[in-house]
Amino acid sequence: MKYSICIDTLFTELPFLERIDKVKEVGFSAFEFWEWKKRDRDIKKTGQKSKMNNLEIATFNGNVENGLVNPVQREEYLEEIKESIKVAVQLGCKSLMVLTDKLEEDGKVKETYPYLKEEKKYKSVVEGLRESAAIAEENNITLLLEPLNTLVDHPGYYLNSSKIGFKIIEEVGSENVKLLYDVYHMQIMEGNLINTLSKNIDKIGYIHIADVPGRHEPGTGEINFKKIWETLNYIGYKGFVGFELFPSKSSYEAIQSIKAVFK
């Protein structure tokens, strides 16, 4: 397993570029972030900082402005993915997170398109991913489709089920499209984490970690992370585990809690 810190949730008291130094300081070899177009993100300097610290950029958001559920947005979505893939290649990043919907700053979905039937939304997601998979394959990039919870953080989000997510991955049929399995979101929506990970690890390309409730570090809530770590080792998971969590106290204390479980 490889471990990554999300610098949009940890060390946020520091300017963006200084957070990269902290990743190295606390002993991690990779980091991830959300939006690359934000005003405080200098992509060239981000790449330079990662190289200076000998850090890998694990992933970042591939689409922010356009979703997959509405076929009318398809061309804009594909253009956004193309642009993000160019940035990923520039940064040496091998994967991009993909969302089915555009989110507002507060996490709510901007537009749920109630006039579209569920089967049409599903078909649009599959077809959009198939088209973007071809672009990803050409550039050796993996697209990570992420289910999110709709009960606490992201009301209105289309893909709130790992079962549907895995079905979409199978239908897309590309090795360059995998599921991003976030244990925080899926514990809220469906539980059964160990069994789901064990049975579907071939379709999972990335794992996100945060405890429930609160989305804090391991040990603050109800999830048995020691068992998750043991399971991932037993089934031979070799991909990234990303710590996308909000510290209950300080980032340094959260890092110590992470290290106590994920060795």
Side-chain angles (χ1 to χ4, degrees), residues 52-236:
M52 283 171 53
N53 286 290
N54 195 29
L55 296 172
E56 185 175 353
I57 299 174
T59 193
F60 59 89
N61 283 346
N63 66 314
V64 175
E65 299 168 358
N66 303 279
L68 279 161
V69 294
N70 191 342
V72 172
Q73 291 186 338
R74 180 74 47 76
E75 290 306 314
E76 288 84 359
Y77 160 80
L78 290 172
E79 286 303 312
E80 189 176 5
I81 287 292
K82 287 176 185 177
E83 194 176 6
S84 294
I85 285 176
K86 285 181 182 178
V87 174
V89 171
Q90 178 184 340
L91 293 175
C93 176
K94 296 296 184 183
S95 68
L96 292 172
M97 295 180 282
V98 176
L99 301 176
T100 58
D101 302 85
K102 178 178 179 178
L103 303 179
E104 300 280 22
E105 286 293 322
D106 62 1
K108 294 179 182 177
V109 170
K110 182 175 178 63
E111 175 59 67
T112 59
Y113 309 107
Y115 55 87
L116 291 177
K117 293 183 178 180
E118 289 300 298
E119 53 265 34
K120 187 159 188 176
K121 292 180 180 179
Y122 179 89
K123 183 179 179 182
S124 181
V125 172
V126 171
E127 291 177 349
L129 284 172
R130 279 181 181 155
E131 290 188 54
S132 48
I135 307 164
E137 288 164 5
E138 291 174 2
N139 293 277
N140 195 28
I141 299 291
T142 300
L143 302 179
L144 303 165
L145 179 66
E146 184 172 19
L148 304 177
N149 85 78
T150 52
L151 298 178
V152 178
D153 300 288
H154 306 289
Y157 188 76
Y158 171 71
L159 185 60
N160 62 5
S161 158
S162 68
K163 183 178 180 180
I164 295 174
F166 292 130
K167 184 181 177 185
I168 289 169
I169 299 302
E170 289 176 351
E171 286 204 38
V172 172
S174 169
E175 284 299 311
N176 290 73
V177 180
K178 299 284 187 180
L179 198 82
L180 195 166
Y181 189 84
D182 188 310
V183 301
Y184 165 78
H185 290 300
M186 293 301 96
Q187 173 68 3
I188 291 172
M189 295 307 300
E190 57 196 28
N192 200 30
L193 303 178
I194 299 297
N195 191 48
T196 301
L197 285 166
S198 300
K199 289 187 174 181
N200 298 282
I201 201 65
D202 59 317
K203 294 182 280 294
I204 294 172
Y206 209 101
I207 295 168
H208 268 162
I209 295 294
D211 215 336
V212 175
R215 205 173 182 179
H216 301 313
E217 63 272 18
T220 58
E222 66 195 29
I223 300 176
N224 186 340
F225 283 104
K226 182 179 179 183
K227 198 68 180 174
I228 287 175
W229 181 80
E230 290 173 350
T231 299
L232 293 176
N233 274 285
Y234 178 75
I235 61 182

Side-chain angles (χ1 to χ4, degrees), residues 34-48:
W34 293 338
E35 299 179 35
W36 64 266
K37 287 184 179 181
K38 287 184 77 172
R39 205 173 299 174
D40 65 339
R41 314 283 145 102
D42 185 314
I43 293 304
K44 184 177 180 180
K45 289 182 180 178
T46 298
Q48 291 171 342

